[in-house]
Amino acid sequence: MTHALVVIDVQTGFCPGGNLAVPDGDAVVPGINALMDGFAHVVLTQDWHPAGHSSFASAHDGRAPYDVVAMPYGPQVLWPDHCVQGTADAAFHPDLRTDRARAIVRKGMNPAIDSYSAFFENDRTTPTGLEGLLRTLGVTDLTLVGLATDFCVNYSALDAARLGFATTVREDLTRAIDLDGSLAAARDAMRGAGVALA
Ligand code: VGL
Ligand code: ZN
């Protein structure tokens, strides 16, 4: 068994003061840092949108953040502009350790498709390359932590389980956006997919 830690989107933009702040988001940083040395491999992900990304409400006339629109790949929540490539909002939280990161996987770079999951864009088929990286490293088991529990952590965990990785989410090291019950729905979905919630 080879175990990797995947740290999802611990970025300034998702922490208090950021453009899409997750309540208490920065509270996960010390615990995640402390966890890293126990894993054979550590991968960090980064939400990394081009300006004007189609997941931004500002890109849709007459729409407000948190509206849901139909995209060719399914329903899409519209967000405040966040994590634009190269901006301070897209940087890792300044206290997040990056020394043990084998790789940084960036996602949400396609202007037309959002990407919550670390593995696939929201069409559920366009890969980010993370699966290949983990498989060539011989990784069998994954622990996921980071932001946000009910979006990027959730979709990453569901894809990880679907791909056959033994998958654990350390819920104490995640924080949620919780739009209209999305946290409860995410927990049910993860449990149903065989993800261990620890
Ligand atoms: C995320 C909404 C939009 C996340 C990213 O990291 O959970 N949520 N982009
Ligand atoms: Zn995003």
Side-chain angles (χ1 to χ4, degrees):
M1 158 190 142
T2 301
H3 206 151
L5 177 67
V6 181
V7 180
I8 304 290
D9 298 2
V10 180
Q11 293 167 260
T12 303
F14 297 118
C15 292
N19 288 345
L20 181 36
V22 178
D24 207 27
D26 54 344
V28 301
V29 173
I32 292 173
N33 285 343
L35 204 58
M36 289 182 181
D37 287 326
F39 287 82
H41 302 287
V42 176
V43 175
L44 309 179
T45 74
Q46 210 170 12
D47 211 36
W48 194 253
H49 298 304
H53 191 258
S54 59
S55 73
F56 297 169
S58 62
H60 301 260
D61 282 338
R63 294 293 184 172
Y66 311 107
D67 284 355
V68 178
V69 294
M71 296 289 219
Y73 54 82
Q76 170 71 47
V77 179
L78 297 179
W79 303 104
D81 290 24
H82 65 279
C83 296
V84 171
Q85 296 170 1
T87 65
D89 199 66
F92 289 117
H93 185 286
D95 297 333
L96 183 72
R97 279 180 65 187
T98 58
D99 59 307
R100 288 232 44 234
R102 156 83 42 203
I104 296 168
V105 173
R106 289 174 165 166
K107 61 188 184 57
M109 302 173 70
N110 182 335
I113 310 182
D114 204 3
S115 185
Y116 295 144
S117 167
F119 292 95
F120 298 99
E121 295 182 357
N122 283 7
D123 61 6
R124 309 307 294 272
T125 53
T126 307
T128 63
L130 178 58
E131 179 191 3
L133 174 75
L134 295 173
R135 293 218 193 278
T136 52
L137 293 171
V139 171
T140 52
D141 292 55
L142 294 179
T143 292
L144 275 65
V145 294
L147 305 172
T149 324
D150 41 346
F151 287 92
C152 291
V153 175
N154 173 38
Y155 284 86
S156 298
L158 296 178
D159 282 340
R162 177 163 63 97
L163 293 170
F165 295 101
T167 306
T168 300
V169 170
R170 276 280 302 265
E171 281 197 287
D172 59 317
L173 296 176
T174 72
R175 291 294 183 276
I177 297 173
D178 205 12
L179 282 182
D180 295 329
S182 58
L183 177 58
R187 299 183 84 223
D188 285 349
M190 288 191 282
R191 281 208 201 86
V195 173
L197 300 180

Short mmCIF file of all heavy atoms in Angstrom, two decimals, residues 3 6 15 21-22 30 42 45 58 66 71 92 94 98 100 117 120 125 138 140 145 147-148 162 182 185 188 192:
data_model
loop_
_atom_site.label_atom_id
_atom_site.label_comp_id
_atom_site.label_asym_id
_atom_site.label_seq_id
_atom_site.Cartn_x
_atom_site.Cartn_y
_atom_site.Cartn_z
N HIS A 3 0.45 5.42 0.19
CA HIS A 3 -0.58 6.38 0.60
C HIS A 3 -0.15 7.79 0.25
O HIS A 3 0.95 8.23 0.61
CB HIS A 3 -0.75 6.24 2.12
CG HIS A 3 -2.10 6.63 2.63
ND1 HIS A 3 -2.66 6.09 3.75
CD2 HIS A 3 -2.99 7.54 2.17
CE1 HIS A 3 -3.85 6.62 3.96
NE2 HIS A 3 -4.08 7.51 3.03
N VAL A 6 -3.68 14.35 -0.62
CA VAL A 6 -4.05 15.34 -1.64
C VAL A 6 -4.69 16.53 -0.93
O VAL A 6 -5.72 16.38 -0.28
CB VAL A 6 -5.00 14.74 -2.70
CG1 VAL A 6 -5.32 15.80 -3.76
CG2 VAL A 6 -4.38 13.51 -3.35
N CYS A 15 -9.98 31.46 1.89
CA CYS A 15 -9.81 31.72 3.33
C CYS A 15 -10.41 33.09 3.65
O CYS A 15 -10.64 33.90 2.75
CB CYS A 15 -8.31 31.67 3.68
SG CYS A 15 -7.65 30.00 3.54
N ALA A 21 -14.52 33.28 0.20
CA ALA A 21 -14.06 32.84 1.52
C ALA A 21 -14.97 31.73 2.07
O ALA A 21 -16.18 31.88 2.08
CB ALA A 21 -14.03 34.02 2.48
N VAL A 22 -14.35 30.66 2.51
CA VAL A 22 -15.04 29.57 3.18
C VAL A 22 -14.94 29.87 4.68
O VAL A 22 -13.83 30.11 5.17
CB VAL A 22 -14.36 28.23 2.86
CG1 VAL A 22 -15.04 27.08 3.59
CG2 VAL A 22 -14.34 27.99 1.35
N PRO A 30 -2.73 24.54 9.93
CA PRO A 30 -1.74 23.90 10.81
C PRO A 30 -1.86 22.36 10.83
O PRO A 30 -0.83 21.66 10.80
CB PRO A 30 -2.05 24.50 12.20
CG PRO A 30 -2.79 25.78 11.92
CD PRO A 30 -3.56 25.55 10.65
N VAL A 42 2.85 13.82 -1.36
CA VAL A 42 1.91 14.93 -1.11
C VAL A 42 1.69 15.65 -2.43
O VAL A 42 2.65 15.98 -3.14
CB VAL A 42 2.47 15.91 -0.06
CG1 VAL A 42 1.53 17.10 0.13
CG2 VAL A 42 2.73 15.20 1.28
N THR A 45 -3.46 20.89 -4.82
CA THR A 45 -4.21 21.40 -5.97
C THR A 45 -4.46 22.89 -5.80
O THR A 45 -4.44 23.44 -4.70
CB THR A 45 -5.56 20.69 -6.19
OG1 THR A 45 -6.50 21.11 -5.20
CG2 THR A 45 -5.40 19.18 -6.17
N SER A 58 -20.00 37.13 -13.00
CA SER A 58 -19.71 38.35 -13.77
C SER A 58 -19.60 38.09 -15.27
O SER A 58 -19.66 39.02 -16.07
CB SER A 58 -18.41 38.97 -13.26
OG SER A 58 -17.33 38.07 -13.47
N TYR A 66 -23.99 32.69 -6.93
CA TYR A 66 -24.77 31.60 -6.33
C TYR A 66 -26.03 31.26 -7.12
O TYR A 66 -26.73 30.32 -6.77
CB TYR A 66 -25.05 31.83 -4.83
CG TYR A 66 -23.77 32.21 -4.10
CD1 TYR A 66 -23.54 33.52 -3.68
CD2 TYR A 66 -22.74 31.27 -3.94
CE1 TYR A 66 -22.33 33.88 -3.08
CE2 TYR A 66 -21.54 31.63 -3.35
CZ TYR A 66 -21.34 32.93 -2.92
OH TYR A 66 -20.14 33.29 -2.35
N MET A 71 -25.26 24.54 -18.00
CA MET A 71 -24.14 24.53 -18.93
C MET A 71 -24.26 23.25 -19.77
O MET A 71 -24.97 22.33 -19.37
CB MET A 71 -22.82 24.51 -18.16
CG MET A 71 -22.57 25.76 -17.33
SD MET A 71 -22.22 27.20 -18.35
CE MET A 71 -20.95 27.94 -17.33
N PHE A 92 -1.37 30.00 -2.74
CA PHE A 92 -1.60 29.17 -1.56
C PHE A 92 -1.66 30.04 -0.31
O PHE A 92 -1.04 31.12 -0.26
CB PHE A 92 -0.48 28.14 -1.40
CG PHE A 92 -0.52 27.06 -2.44
CD1 PHE A 92 0.53 26.90 -3.33
CD2 PHE A 92 -1.61 26.21 -2.54
CE1 PHE A 92 0.50 25.92 -4.31
CE2 PHE A 92 -1.66 25.22 -3.51
CZ PHE A 92 -0.61 25.08 -4.39
N PRO A 94 -0.47 31.60 2.83
CA PRO A 94 0.97 31.82 3.04
C PRO A 94 1.61 30.86 4.05
O PRO A 94 2.83 30.66 3.99
CB PRO A 94 1.05 33.28 3.52
CG PRO A 94 -0.35 33.69 3.84
CD PRO A 94 -1.27 32.81 3.06
N THR A 98 4.71 23.89 1.40
CA THR A 98 4.78 23.41 0.02
C THR A 98 6.03 22.56 -0.21
O THR A 98 6.22 22.00 -1.28
CB THR A 98 4.78 24.59 -0.99
OG1 THR A 98 5.90 25.43 -0.69
CG2 THR A 98 3.50 25.39 -0.90
N ARG A 100 6.94 19.64 0.78
CA ARG A 100 6.79 18.20 0.54
C ARG A 100 5.94 17.91 -0.71
O ARG A 100 5.63 16.76 -0.99
CB ARG A 100 6.18 17.52 1.78
CG ARG A 100 7.17 17.45 2.93
CD ARG A 100 7.32 16.03 3.52
NE ARG A 100 7.42 15.02 2.51
CZ ARG A 100 6.63 13.94 2.43
NH1 ARG A 100 5.70 13.72 3.33
NH2 ARG A 100 6.79 13.06 1.47
N SER A 117 -13.28 18.85 -9.27
CA SER A 117 -12.50 17.67 -8.91
C SER A 117 -11.03 17.86 -9.28
O SER A 117 -10.70 18.47 -10.30
CB SER A 117 -13.06 16.46 -9.65
OG SER A 117 -12.16 15.37 -9.58
N PHE A 120 -10.94 15.36 -12.72
CA PHE A 120 -11.63 15.63 -13.99
C PHE A 120 -12.31 16.99 -13.93
O PHE A 120 -12.74 17.44 -12.86
CB PHE A 120 -12.73 14.58 -14.26
CG PHE A 120 -12.22 13.18 -14.40
CD1 PHE A 120 -12.28 12.30 -13.32
CD2 PHE A 120 -11.66 12.74 -15.59
CE1 PHE A 120 -11.79 11.00 -13.43
CE2 PHE A 120 -11.18 11.44 -15.71
CZ PHE A 120 -11.24 10.57 -14.63
N THR A 125 -15.16 13.94 -17.60
CA THR A 125 -14.36 13.11 -18.50
C THR A 125 -12.99 13.72 -18.86
O THR A 125 -12.05 12.97 -19.12
CB THR A 125 -15.10 12.81 -19.82
OG1 THR A 125 -15.53 14.04 -20.39
CG2 THR A 125 -16.31 11.93 -19.60
N GLY A 138 2.53 4.41 -8.01
CA GLY A 138 2.10 3.21 -7.28
C GLY A 138 1.16 3.49 -6.13
O GLY A 138 0.98 2.66 -5.23
N THR A 140 -2.03 3.66 -3.95
CA THR A 140 -3.26 2.88 -3.83
C THR A 140 -4.29 3.56 -2.93
O THR A 140 -5.49 3.33 -3.06
CB THR A 140 -2.94 1.50 -3.21
OG1 THR A 140 -2.18 1.71 -2.00
CG2 THR A 140 -2.14 0.65 -4.18
N VAL A 145 -7.85 16.37 2.07
CA VAL A 145 -8.12 17.45 3.04
C VAL A 145 -8.23 18.75 2.23
O VAL A 145 -7.83 18.78 1.07
CB VAL A 145 -6.97 17.58 4.06
CG1 VAL A 145 -6.86 16.35 4.95
CG2 VAL A 145 -5.63 17.85 3.36
N LEU A 147 -10.25 22.54 0.97
CA LEU A 147 -11.42 23.41 0.79
C LEU A 147 -12.00 23.21 -0.61
O LEU A 147 -11.24 23.05 -1.56
CB LEU A 147 -10.99 24.86 0.96
CG LEU A 147 -10.27 25.17 2.30
CD1 LEU A 147 -9.70 26.59 2.27
CD2 LEU A 147 -11.19 24.97 3.48
N ALA A 148 -13.26 23.27 -0.77
CA ALA A 148 -14.26 23.25 0.29
C ALA A 148 -14.85 21.84 0.36
O ALA A 148 -14.98 21.17 -0.66
CB ALA A 148 -15.36 24.27 -0.02
N ARG A 162 -14.29 6.32 -7.42
CA ARG A 162 -14.70 5.74 -8.71
C ARG A 162 -13.51 5.17 -9.46
O ARG A 162 -13.60 4.16 -10.15
CB ARG A 162 -15.39 6.84 -9.54
CG ARG A 162 -15.83 6.45 -10.93
CD ARG A 162 -16.83 7.47 -11.49
NE ARG A 162 -16.30 8.82 -11.65
CZ ARG A 162 -15.81 9.31 -12.81
NH1 ARG A 162 -15.78 8.55 -13.89
NH2 ARG A 162 -15.38 10.54 -12.88
N SER A 182 -25.79 21.81 0.79
CA SER A 182 -24.79 21.11 -0.03
C SER A 182 -23.82 20.29 0.82
O SER A 182 -23.28 19.29 0.33
CB SER A 182 -24.01 22.10 -0.90
OG SER A 182 -23.37 23.09 -0.12
N ALA A 185 -25.62 16.95 1.56
CA ALA A 185 -25.69 16.17 0.31
C ALA A 185 -24.33 15.58 -0.03
O ALA A 185 -24.22 14.43 -0.47
CB ALA A 185 -26.19 17.06 -0.82
N ASP A 188 -23.54 12.59 2.24
CA ASP A 188 -24.29 11.41 1.81
C ASP A 188 -23.66 10.80 0.56
O ASP A 188 -23.52 9.58 0.45
CB ASP A 188 -25.75 11.77 1.51
CG ASP A 188 -26.56 12.00 2.78
OD1 ASP A 188 -26.06 11.68 3.88
OD2 ASP A 188 -27.69 12.52 2.66
N GLY A 192 -21.98 7.17 0.28
CA GLY A 192 -22.58 6.23 -0.69
C GLY A 192 -21.57 5.68 -1.67
O GLY A 192 -21.72 4.57 -2.19
#
